[in-house]
Amino acid sequence: MIKIRHIGVIFTLFVATIFLNTSFVYADEVDLDMDGVEDSLEELLIDKYAPSYYFHTDEKYYSDNVDEYLSKAHMRFHYRALPDDQILEQGNVNQENLAYMKHNNKDFLGNYTEEIIYSKDARDVYGAGGFFLEIPDNYDNKDDVYKGDIDGHRSKIYAHLFRNESGNISIQYWVFLPYNEAPSVGGVKLNHEGDWEHITVRLDESYGIEKVYFASHNNEGKYYNKEELLFGNGDDLIKKNYNEDEGNTHVIVYLALGTHASFPTSGTQYRGWYLPNDYTSEGKCLHGKGSTLNIGEKEAPLNNQKFIQYGGLWGEIGNTIISTGPKSPSFQESWMKD
């Protein structure tokens, strides 16, 4: 039997043992975004249920990642009845400064006031003025930016996990597209720069899928039970019923031509006699598995995804609110809505 006689050695071993045990417990309980769910569990669930997206065969405008878009955009400040102000030139916008800009408001005569507007503020930019991103009109490669990541090599799926009203977990999956090509309604063009689309996967108390919400336009989205949906393994193009044991946990999502509204089926998506239909088909596929980023919470972003703290718009100001760039996901009503 080995005897350790030196009291200092005994004390050191005692402290080391406590430290290692404490570190092990803490590692399992890390919650950097402070949402009440351990980060390790979030990562596991987010990757396990990441959707696979099918674009239409005739699609011209694909998804991309936020950093790529920011590198091509400039930031401006919109005044409702006055010319816009330039804030950041193209090449100077990034996730480090996106939510940390400030600018003085103007009165109706165009004079600067003492009121300071911050880019992290929640604000009605279209109606009351504020920050927005825009691909410069004189940029020669503007249409290339709009086309996005055609081959799907750099696209990211942005995930936000939260506890829903039932106490279970819901996972939102957000995809960013630089351009939305929507059909005109009543002669009014509804195209716009920047397009955030999402689905919500609702889990049961055992962390299995209960149902999935497919967002579509403003309030046309719908929940579907898992039995109504098709799933894949996140790697190939084979579609099956939901099956945890076989790894078929990645819901199949069809993004409509131009508008990118999400649907669970391929074909014509009827919207009513007074609205143009959406059309989906099995073109290029973007697998979310292995391409997701957990963006955390607005107050505590994860994986350096600080863009969720930006309260401005992701595209130029259009003639209508519908043809204007959207807000960040974290500033939209669906952010904490199941």
Side-chain angles (χ1 to χ4, degrees), residues 215-277:
S216 177
H217 303 288
N218 291 328
N219 297 307
E220 298 178 36
K222 180 181 176 182
Y223 259 116
Y224 296 84
N225 293 322
K226 62 178 181 288
E227 293 81 9
E228 303 176 80
L229 304 171
L230 290 174
F231 295 81
N233 61 14
D235 296 313
D236 57 39
L237 302 181
I238 299 174
K239 305 174 190 65
K240 297 183 178 181
N241 293 329
Y242 175 71
N243 190 306
E244 294 254 353
D245 295 334
E246 296 180 2
N248 296 318
T249 59
H250 304 271
V251 65
I252 303 300
V253 181
Y254 294 91
L255 296 176
L257 176 63
T259 70
H260 309 125
S262 58
F263 297 93
T265 58
S266 175
T268 301
Q269 311 295 337
Y270 297 99
R271 301 177 58 205
W273 64 269
Y274 55 93
L275 291 171
N277 295 326

Side-chain angles (χ1 to χ4, degrees), residues 12-32:
T12 301
L13 290 173
F14 176 72
V15 172
T17 301
I18 293 177
F19 176 78
L20 288 173
N21 288 339
T22 303
S23 298
F24 178 77
V25 172
Y26 178 73
D28 281 352
E29 297 179 351
V30 172
D31 182 17
L32 296 179

Side-chain angles (χ1 to χ4, degrees), residues 33 35 37-38 41-43 45-46 159-163 169-172 203 294-297 335-336:
D33 59 348
D35 62 354
V37 183
E38 296 174 13
L41 177 59
E42 290 193 36
E43 294 291 342
L45 295 176
I46 284 172
H160 172 231
L161 183 149
F162 63 97
R163 289 205 177 274
I169 285 176
S170 290
I171 311 172
Q172 297 169 339
L203 306 183
N294 184 2
I295 56 182
E297 299 299 326
W335 180 246
M336 293 299 293

Side-chain angles (χ1 to χ4, degrees), residues 300-316:
L302 294 179
N303 296 309
N304 293 315
Q305 300 306 301
K306 299 178 181 179
F307 75 86
I308 61 174
Q309 297 180 324
Y310 169 61
L313 304 181
W314 286 82
E316 63 186 350

Side-chain angles (χ1 to χ4, degrees), residues 1 11 29 53 57 64 71 100 132 142 148-149 155 159 184 189 196 250 256 278-279 284 306 313 317 326 332:
M1 182 176 63
F11 178 76
E29 297 179 351
Y53 297 89
T57 52
D64 215 321
S71 71
Y100 297 95
F132 69 99
K142 189 171 186 176
D149 178 25
S155 290
S184 299
K189 293 184 177 180
W196 282 105
H250 304 271
D278 277 313
Y279 301 94
K284 291 180 180 292
K306 299 178 181 179
L313 304 181
I317 308 297
Q332 298 192 31

Side-chain angles (χ1 to χ4, degrees), residues 147-205:
K147 289 177 181 177
D149 178 25
I150 297 175
D151 296 323
H153 294 155
R154 64 172 182 255
S155 290
K156 294 293 182 183
I157 309 302
Y158 300 93
H160 172 231
L161 183 149
F162 63 97
R163 289 205 177 274
N164 55 45
E165 59 186 13
S166 300
N168 297 324
I169 285 176
S170 290
I171 311 172
Q172 297 169 339
Y173 292 95
W174 293 86
V175 60
F176 177 73
L177 307 103
Y179 194 71
N180 176 298
E181 186 182 41
S184 299
V185 176
V188 179
K189 293 184 177 180
L190 303 179
N191 298 349
H192 60 83
E193 285 184 336
D195 190 16
W196 282 105
E197 300 292 344
H198 81 282
I199 68 166
T200 302
V201 177
R202 183 168 184 166
L203 306 183
D204 57 28
E205 62 275 6

Side-chain angles (χ1 to χ4, degrees), residues 40-214:
S40 58
L41 177 59
E42 290 193 36
E43 294 291 342
L44 186 153
L45 295 176
I46 284 172
D47 192 60
K48 180 178 181 179
Y49 296 119
S52 292
Y53 297 89
Y54 280 91
F55 292 93
H56 194 280
T57 52
D58 295 328
E59 184 60 69
K60 295 186 293 183
Y61 302 108
Y62 292 86
S63 59
D64 215 321
N65 67 65
V66 162
D67 295 287
E68 180 68 20
Y69 184 74
L70 293 181
S71 71
K72 302 300 190 298
H74 62 185
M75 177 184 279
R76 296 176 66 79
F77 192 95
H78 175 64
Y79 296 100
R80 190 68 181 122
L82 298 167
D84 299 330
D85 281 349
Q86 185 77 2
I87 304 299
L88 291 171
E89 299 288 344
Q90 185 184 45
N92 294 323
V93 185
N94 54 59
Q95 292 207 44
E96 295 299 321
N97 60 24
L98 185 63
Y100 297 95
M101 305 308 298
K102 59 182 180 179
H103 193 65
N104 287 79
N105 207 351
K106 290 180 179 179
D107 60 25
F108 69 97
L109 294 176
N111 301 309
Y112 287 107
T113 69
E114 294 183 357
E115 181 187 12
I116 298 177
I117 309 299
Y118 295 88
S119 60
K120 65 180 180 181
D121 291 344
R123 191 171 175 82
D124 174 17
V125 177
Y126 178 80
F131 295 88
F132 69 99
L133 301 172
E134 179 185 53
I135 306 302
D137 290 333
N138 60 357
Y139 184 50
D140 292 337
N141 298 324
K142 189 171 186 176
D143 195 54
D144 288 337
V145 177
Y146 288 168
K147 289 177 181 177
D149 178 25
I150 297 175
D151 296 323
H153 294 155
R154 64 172 182 255
S155 290
K156 294 293 182 183
I157 309 302
Y158 300 93
H160 172 231
L161 183 149
F162 63 97
R163 289 205 177 274
N164 55 45
E165 59 186 13
S166 300
N168 297 324
I169 285 176
S170 290
I171 311 172
Q172 297 169 339
Y173 292 95
W174 293 86
V175 60
F176 177 73
L177 307 103
Y179 194 71
N180 176 298
E181 186 182 41
S184 299
V185 176
V188 179
K189 293 184 177 180
L190 303 179
N191 298 349
H192 60 83
E193 285 184 336
D195 190 16
W196 282 105
E197 300 292 344
H198 81 282
I199 68 166
T200 302
V201 177
R202 183 168 184 166
L203 306 183
D204 57 28
E205 62 275 6
S206 300
Y207 301 132
I209 291 181
E210 178 185 341
K211 54 186 178 179
V212 180
Y213 178 80
F214 288 73

